[in-house]
Amino acid sequence: GESVGLHLPTLSVQEGDNSIINCAYSNSASDYFIWYKQESGKGPQFIIDIRSNMDKRQGQRVTVLLNKTVKHLSLQIAATQPGDSAVYFCAEINNAGNMLTFGGGTRLMVKP
Amino acid sequence: ETGVTQSPTHLIKTRGQQVTLRCSSQSGHNTVSWYQQALGQGPQFIFQYYREEENGRGNFPPRFSGLQFPNYSSELNVNALELDDSALYLCAFLGDPWDTQYFGPGTRLTVL
């Protein structure tokens, strides 16, 4: 079946460094991807999204890159802060537009 | 904050019992999805409601059912609870930009 997965389950970075979280997807027909941040005890929080007609999209301190050739998605966080510590999920929307498929998540730990 | 609320926050039930979880949004958006998130995993799509009708369903048995009300709030009902139903149950409303799903804080269900 179709799936969205992540390469690294845990990423530890120093405060102030840049973080890169990677994600592979298998449905080449997917045209919309979202990154979510989930802190302990909370629901997933929307960070940034990208459509398949784009290669890059930037937000505040975050950048999402999409490589359709290798079906790879990444989230870059600039100047990582302790408040960025959380689990990050990439998700893709299905063709019907009603279902998000999530990967297993990457835990980002920021060391002071 | 997403403006999505869920109740109750936590719930403990025993096997075989039934449970009703609730979700509402301040946004007025008419599409709500429910997800199950087991510990250490990404959310799994249960179903979606659009204007009070089911609009897609994931791989969950019929004992998982739902309702959407005229004010677009929603309920998730689970009958004949099993131990594996222990999870965080999330609801999400579709918002702007189109297809983005905004999540509530979740209901933590424990089945003993």
Side-chain angles (χ1 to χ4, degrees):
Chain A
E2 306 297 349
S3 66
V4 173
L6 295 173
H7 294 305
L8 298 173
T10 303
L11 177 64
S12 184
V13 300
Q14 202 72 38
E15 181 178 357
D17 287 351
N18 296 334
S19 303
I20 300 176
I21 300 172
N22 296 303
C23 174
Y25 64 94
S26 58
N27 183 1
S28 58
S30 293
D31 65 359
Y32 185 61
F33 304 88
I34 305 171
W35 280 100
Y36 285 95
K37 170 187 180 184
Q38 188 172 26
E39 297 174 279
S40 181
K42 296 184 179 180
Q45 174 189 354
F46 171 86
I47 302 173
I48 192 168
D49 59 353
I50 189 167
R51 292 201 178 271
S52 61
N53 60 353
M54 304 172 70
D55 296 323
K56 178 180 179 180
R57 191 162 188 222
Q58 289 184 292
Q60 186 177 11
R61 282 201 306 118
V62 295
T63 300
V64 55
L65 300 177
L66 176 62
N67 185 330
K68 295 179 287 294
T69 302
V70 295
K71 292 185 285 187
H72 184 268
L73 198 66
S74 69
L75 176 70
Q76 300 178 0
I77 304 174
T80 312
Q81 302 169 1
D84 295 326
S85 295
V87 177
Y88 289 81
F89 295 96
C90 67
E92 62 180 317
I93 194 82
N94 66 340
N95 294 337
N98 61 0
M99 179 177 78
L100 284 170
T101 300
F102 286 81
T106 293
R107 180 173 300 281
L108 176 64
M109 299 175 64
V110 182
K111 298 177 289 186
Chain B
E1 296 298 323
T2 63
V4 180
T5 58
Q6 292 188 243
S7 63
T9 306
H10 297 87
L11 200 55
I12 299 176
K13 292 284 189 178
T14 56
R15 265 188 315 178
Q17 286 189 310
Q18 178 266 343
V19 69
T20 298
L21 310 181
R22 296 178 176 84
C23 171
S24 63
S25 170
Q26 300 174 344
S27 68
H29 291 287
N30 56 21
T31 306
V32 60
S33 300
W34 285 91
Y35 291 80
Q36 179 195 68
Q37 185 176 23
L39 197 61
Q41 298 182 20
Q44 298 288 318
F45 177 73
I46 303 175
F47 43 57
Q48 184 182 81
Y49 277 82
Y50 170 67
R51 292 186 176 181
E52 304 178 53
E53 296 289 331
E54 187 177 289
N55 180 44
R57 189 179 183 92
N59 189 27
F60 280 82
R63 59 190 186 84
F64 285 79
S65 63
L67 282 173
Q68 188 178 29
F69 300 100
N71 66 355
Y72 304 136
S73 65
S74 179
E75 287 183 354
L76 165 65
N77 299 288
V78 187
N79 293 322
L81 284 167
E82 301 177 358
L83 297 179
D84 285 348
D85 295 334
S86 294
L88 181 68
Y89 288 85
L90 298 158
C91 71
F93 278 83
L94 235 61
D96 297 322
W98 187 73
D99 285 349
T100 302
Q101 299 193 15
Y102 294 93
F103 286 84
T107 293
R108 172 69 63 187
L109 172 65
T110 302
V111 182
L112 302 176

